[in-house]
Amino acid sequence: MKYLFIIILLISSNVLLGQEDIYPIYKGCDAASETTLASCFNQNLTKDVLAAFEVPNNVKSDNYKGTVSVIFLVTKTGEFEVLYVRSAYKELEAEAKRVFALLPKAQPATYNGRPIDMRFGLPIQIPLGSQPTPGKITKESTEENVVVNTPITPVTPPTTPTPLNSNTQKRDIQTAVVSTYFPEHQSELNIPFSHSTYDELSYYYDQNENSHTGFKPFLYSETSKYVDLDLQKTSLFKDKSSKWGKKLWNEHFFKVQKEDYWFTIDPLFDLQIGKDNSNDVDYTYNNTRAIQIQGGLGKNFNFSASIYESQGRFADYINDFARANKPTESYGLVPGRGKAKIFKTNSFDYPVAEAYLTYTPSKFFNFQFGHGKNFVGDGYRSLMLSDAASSYPHLKISTQFWKIKYTNTWMWLEDVRPSVNVDNLSARKFVAMHHLSYNVTKRLNVSLFEAAITKKGENNGFDINYFNPIIFYRAVEFSRGSRGGNAIIGLGTKYKVSDNFSTYTQFVLDELTIGKIFDGSGYWANKFGIQMGAKYYNAFNVDNLYLQGEFNVVRPYTFSHKDPILNYAHYNQPLGHPWGSNFWEFVAIARYKKDRWFGSAKINMGNKGFDINGLNYGGNIYQSYEDRTSDTGIDLLQGNNTRIFIADFQGGYLVNPATNTKLFAGITFRKFNPAQAITDTAIDNSTWFTFGLKADLFNWYFDF
């Protein structure tokens, strides 16, 4: 018990010792006490800024009403330095910079008695007569956050960040900045991969000439070169004076931060309830309680661990998928999450644990080892490696220099079909993967991809040949024999047409016979997939409107193998596109956000050929391709040709930017119309409504 008391005492002392910072002393505040210094600084500075501010004539003639958001720094020598200005008019931005250049020097802020830089934010209301009462400047102290209006982060220890570019809203930070609210922003941790978050981040990456977006997730330390992550979140902060109000709406639940280490602890939730019209009795729900622990030791070593305890019941077509894909000793398989056991009536209990260590010894290398997911490509789908399957153990090495980013990934996967388990243990297999991204020009990126799948033999595990970080795996696969492994190669491109518009492609090759490509024979071993897509940011000059269109097509028998254990899959789910093979699909996505409000619409439409009458038509990658229907005459969508249409609409409100927790409501329409309605492929028309509260930290694909 005494050790617990000592730990609590140490944590408490860490928090209390971080509160000894003092505001800058501005003109007229020399006689102010420490308790009144902040209000004097706010009032006098606001008064001087408004007195000197002149609204440009064109702004007046437009009868504009809005806010000029100014982020500025009081340096450790007392000068005022404007870091960033956001406004609808460039003239207002220029005027704000002019006014701050006229301000007299102040006595700098101090921390434990020594001068430091301190950042502030001042919203200037236009017209000036609508300005709120003085004192609406905000500050964030070293540990306890004092928020008056729009908070911003101080720089501690002292450093001078490179100013933001007001046109592109990006920043290249070369010095280490300690973020009080979000220490992870300067860490080597991964930014949680969700499409809604990464669609926005990719825009900032695309403003730069030598960025790489083809392998996800991104590192915080890398992304902070392109976008001010602190500002993205602190600009959304609510004015909360109570400790619990701040933690609910703005901050991490618990945080300890010192010069050489930090960690945060956050409770997470995914609480949903809804109704699926295809089930007249049961409601749908998801009840996830989780805890996430993240931290860092020194500048280069970080860790993250997330533990999820969940129960749920979903729309009937998802429940049917879960029950049809039963791993060994399991009630079912919740797509994207993992093995489940039965819970109450027709429900699933599915625990999930994810964790990883990350270390960056130099600016060239990053090493990661853990249990999680990765994604290759710039699309909504990926034919190379998607995050649709369950998490897996992996080792990843990222190397970046000049115009190149090279990523090696080794993955330990499982085939959980009961038919291949031994002594109630799943069959183990392995994947070794290379991804090379090269910026050919300022606008064109080309990437090369290869992956080799091998299984555990009687006397060996992962073949040592596949640990070579620079090799062509096709040669290794050939030397070991056709049953020794399965190799897939791919080519990707991305072209930035403009700062707001880009296109991308993927071509994945499983097997190809050159002489039979154009002979019209429909040779079965011509197995490949193609993706083409485009992204449009700030579409039609509407800020924060994002549009995306994507087309995917995969030939029959692609990603399969004569030995099904060597297929390109994990935990009964494809590692590429979740539809597997023998399909085409079109995806259209629209997203929009305003402050904390957001909305999205997504449509998936396409056709897929399913197996029928016990014959393998190439749509199920868990079937051996030796059981194919024919060597020639293999056509796309052969078998039970099924039309699939899914429309998903969501809207909601961001509750806490620290954990990306959202209050949301959504509705999904799904039409599944096979040419021949049979037991395994039945006609299904679903309308699924759901709402709830969730931490949006990963993608969950129900569009199959």
Side-chain angles (χ1 to χ4, degrees):
M1 187 68 181
K2 65 179 181 180
Y3 296 109
L4 178 61
F5 175 77
I6 293 173
I7 292 172
I8 295 174
L9 183 63
L10 288 173
I11 292 174
S12 300
S13 64
N14 286 338
V15 174
L16 292 174
L17 288 174
Q19 301 182 27
E20 301 174 6
D21 56 330
I22 300 176
Y23 256 75
I25 300 176
Y26 186 65
K27 179 184 67 176
C29 299
D30 303 77
S33 65
E34 288 189 20
T35 57
T36 61
L37 185 58
S39 60
C40 182
F41 178 87
N42 292 342
Q43 292 175 4
N44 288 6
L45 183 59
T46 303
K47 180 180 177 181
D48 285 356
V49 169
L50 296 182
F53 201 95
E54 297 179 1
V55 180
N57 292 330
N58 64 321
V59 178
K60 291 180 180 179
S61 62
D62 290 344
N63 294 319
Y64 171 71
K65 295 182 180 180
T67 303
V68 182
S69 297
V70 184
I71 310 301
F72 65 94
L73 184 76
V74 180
T75 70
K76 60 183 178 181
T77 57
E79 284 88 3
F80 287 84
E81 178 182 339
V82 175
L83 300 177
Y84 171 66
V85 185
R86 182 173 60 188
S87 173
Y89 290 81
K90 292 184 178 180
E91 292 83 357
L92 287 173
E93 296 175 4
E95 177 62 14
K97 293 177 181 178
R98 183 193 70 83
V99 169
F100 272 83
L102 299 175
L103 294 175
K105 288 181 63 174
Q107 185 174 328
T110 60
Y111 176 68
N112 286 340
R114 62 186 178 90
I116 62 170
D117 294 342
M118 187 173 285
R119 293 197 295 176
F120 298 87
L122 174 62
I124 303 174
Q125 299 294 326
I126 306 297
L128 295 177
S130 61
Q131 183 74 11
T133 56
K136 292 299 182 180
I137 297 177
T138 60
K139 158 191 174 283
E140 174 183 316
S141 68
T142 307
E143 284 294 340
E144 284 296 314
N145 305 316
V146 180
V147 181
V148 183
N149 189 13
T150 307
I152 82 166
T153 311
V155 180
T156 312
T159 184
T160 305
T162 303
L164 285 166
N165 182 315
S166 61
N167 295 322
T168 61
Q169 300 184 20
K170 65 184 179 183
R171 181 175 68 174
D172 186 3
I173 303 177
Q174 301 298 336
T175 53
V177 180
V178 178
S179 166
T180 300
Y181 284 114
F182 309 109
E184 66 272 20
H185 288 175
Q186 281 73 50
S187 75
E188 305 304 317
L189 291 172
N190 296 326
I191 300 178
F193 177 46
S194 68
H195 285 295
S196 59
T197 298
Y198 274 64
D199 289 342
E200 182 176 359
L201 293 179
S202 293
Y203 165 75
Y204 294 102
Y205 272 73
D206 285 357
Q207 310 307 301
N208 287 263
E209 298 176 355
N210 193 24
S211 61
H212 301 268
T213 59
F215 202 107
K216 301 175 177 70
F218 302 150
L219 295 178
Y220 279 110
S221 59
E222 179 185 13
T223 305
S224 63
K225 299 176 183 178
Y226 307 126
V227 54
D228 191 329
L229 296 171
D230 283 348
L231 182 62
Q232 278 200 326
K233 294 180 180 178
T234 56
S235 63
L236 299 173
F237 272 16
K238 288 182 173 292
D239 183 2
K240 297 294 178 182
S241 58
S242 70
K243 176 180 178 180
W244 293 109
K246 296 173 186 176
K247 293 186 180 299
L248 174 63
W249 295 101
N250 300 332
E251 306 171 7
H252 289 293
F253 178 77
F254 181 78
K255 174 177 61 65
V256 171
Q257 183 177 3
K258 299 298 288 183
E259 184 175 353
D260 295 326
Y261 64 88
W262 65 271
F263 67 91
T264 61
I265 302 176
D266 288 294
L268 306 175
F269 301 95
D270 186 349
L271 308 175
Q272 304 181 31
I273 191 166
K275 191 71 178 70
D276 170 28
N277 75 320
S278 60
N279 190 322
D280 295 331
V281 180
D282 296 327
Y283 59 90
T284 67
Y285 73 94
N286 189 67
N287 178 18
T288 295
R289 295 88 57 215
I291 186 168
Q292 183 180 69
I293 302 172
Q294 297 189 122
L297 302 176
K299 296 181 179 180
N300 301 323
F301 180 80
N302 295 96
F303 59 88
S304 176
S306 302
I307 302 173
Y308 301 83
E309 177 59 35
S310 305
Q311 296 82 37
R313 180 171 57 232
F314 312 97
D316 269 359
Y317 76 93
I318 300 170
N319 297 333
D320 291 342
F321 173 92
R323 285 188 285 264
N325 290 272
K326 291 184 179 181
T328 303
E329 295 185 335
S330 172
Y331 176 64
L333 174 67
V334 176
R337 304 306 287 158
K339 185 183 295 186
K341 61 183 179 180
I342 192 169
F343 178 77
K344 293 185 177 181
T345 304
N346 298 325
S347 298
F348 304 92
D349 187 331
Y350 57 102
V352 177
E354 297 178 336
Y356 65 96
L357 305 175
T358 173
Y359 177 59
T360 302
S362 72
K363 65 180 181 179
F364 300 112
F365 299 102
N366 173 258
F367 298 85
Q368 289 191 17
F369 178 71
H371 192 270
K373 302 182 184 183
N374 296 281
F375 187 96
V376 176
D378 289 287
Y380 172 73
R381 307 289 201 187
S382 175
L383 306 183
M384 297 179 179
L385 177 64
S386 78
D387 58 334
S390 303
S391 297
Y392 44 82
H394 64 274
L395 170 66
K396 180 168 63 176
I397 303 175
S398 299
T399 307
Q400 188 165 349
F401 63 96
W402 188 48
K403 300 179 180 182
I404 289 174
K405 184 173 184 180
Y406 185 56
T407 307
N408 301 89
T409 310
W410 295 270
M411 304 153 59
W412 286 258
L413 308 180
E414 294 187 56
D415 188 329
V416 295
R417 294 172 297 156
S419 60
V420 297
N421 80 85
V422 178
D423 296 328
N424 289 327
L425 294 177
S426 302
R428 177 60 59 84
K429 62 181 181 179
F430 314 95
V431 174
M433 183 181 300
H434 295 156
H435 182 263
L436 174 66
S437 174
Y438 172 55
N439 288 320
V440 181
T441 69
K442 296 179 180 179
R443 297 189 178 274
L444 176 63
N445 174 273
V446 175
S447 60
L448 301 176
F449 168 86
E450 64 172 342
I453 306 98
T454 184
K455 65 179 179 178
K456 182 177 180 180
E458 294 181 358
N459 300 311
N460 68 299
F462 209 145
D463 190 316
I464 192 64
N465 288 290
Y466 293 111
F467 279 108
N468 190 333
I470 305 175
I471 198 170
F472 289 100
Y473 287 141
R474 272 291 186 183
V476 176
E477 181 217 3
F478 179 78
S479 66
R480 297 188 75 233
S482 62
R483 288 194 178 272
N486 181 21
I488 296 170
I489 61 176
L491 171 69
T493 67
K494 177 179 178 180
Y495 186 76
K496 295 183 285 188
V497 180
S498 69
D499 287 346
N500 289 336
F501 190 87
S502 63
T503 63
Y504 58 91
T505 65
Q506 280 189 351
F507 175 74
V508 172
L509 180 62
D510 189 357
E511 195 170 347
L512 189 68
T513 303
I514 300 296
K516 296 186 178 182
I517 296 179
F518 303 109
D519 64 358
S521 64
Y523 188 56
W524 76 275
N526 289 331
K527 302 183 294 180
F528 58 85
I530 298 173
Q531 177 185 89
M532 297 180 291
K535 298 180 178 181
Y536 190 12
Y537 307 99
N538 299 321
F540 308 111
N541 295 321
V542 178
D543 289 344
N544 300 317
L545 175 61
Y546 170 82
L547 301 178
Q548 181 178 1
E550 180 176 297
F551 177 77
N552 299 288
V553 58
V554 178
R555 286 266 301 166
Y557 305 108
T558 307
F559 302 126
S560 64
H561 194 266
K562 65 170 64 177
D563 185 352
I565 291 180
L566 293 174
N567 66 359
Y568 197 53
H570 166 61
Y571 243 82
N572 287 356
Q573 301 157 98
L575 284 172
H577 196 292
W579 290 15
S581 58
N582 194 17
F583 71 88
W584 70 263
E585 178 202 34
F586 175 74
V587 184
I589 299 172
R591 305 187 198 276
Y592 179 75
K593 74 170 193 174
K594 177 68 174 177
D595 300 323
R596 291 196 181 212
W597 295 96
F598 67 89
S600 66
K602 178 172 64 68
I603 292 176
N604 304 74
M605 57 184 300
N607 283 55
K608 175 175 170 63
F610 287 88
D611 294 346
I612 191 171
N613 298 327
L615 300 177
N616 178 13
Y617 284 97
N620 183 356
I621 67 175
Y622 272 92
Q623 295 292 328
S624 171
Y625 60 58
E626 288 192 330
D627 298 329
R628 58 189 177 269
T629 57
S630 174
D631 287 346
T632 58
I634 302 301
D635 297 320
L636 185 68
L637 308 180
Q638 64 181 11
N640 195 0
N641 190 345
T642 302
R643 294 192 301 273
I644 303 173
F645 177 86
I646 304 170
D648 181 81
F649 304 93
Q650 284 199 15
Y653 185 79
L654 178 64
V655 176
N656 189 324
T659 56
N660 207 27
T661 297
K662 299 176 179 179
L663 185 68
F664 75 98
I667 186 169
T668 301
F669 301 96
R670 178 179 183 265
K671 290 187 176 182
F672 190 83
N673 190 10
Q676 299 183 49
I678 56 178
T679 302
D680 294 336
T681 313
I683 295 175
D684 179 73
N685 294 316
S686 298
T687 301
W688 184 23
F689 172 78
T690 185
F691 68 93
L693 178 74
K694 69 175 179 180
D696 188 11
L697 301 179
F698 59 87
N699 298 307
W700 210 350
Y701 300 94
F702 292 145
D703 43 12
F704 57 85

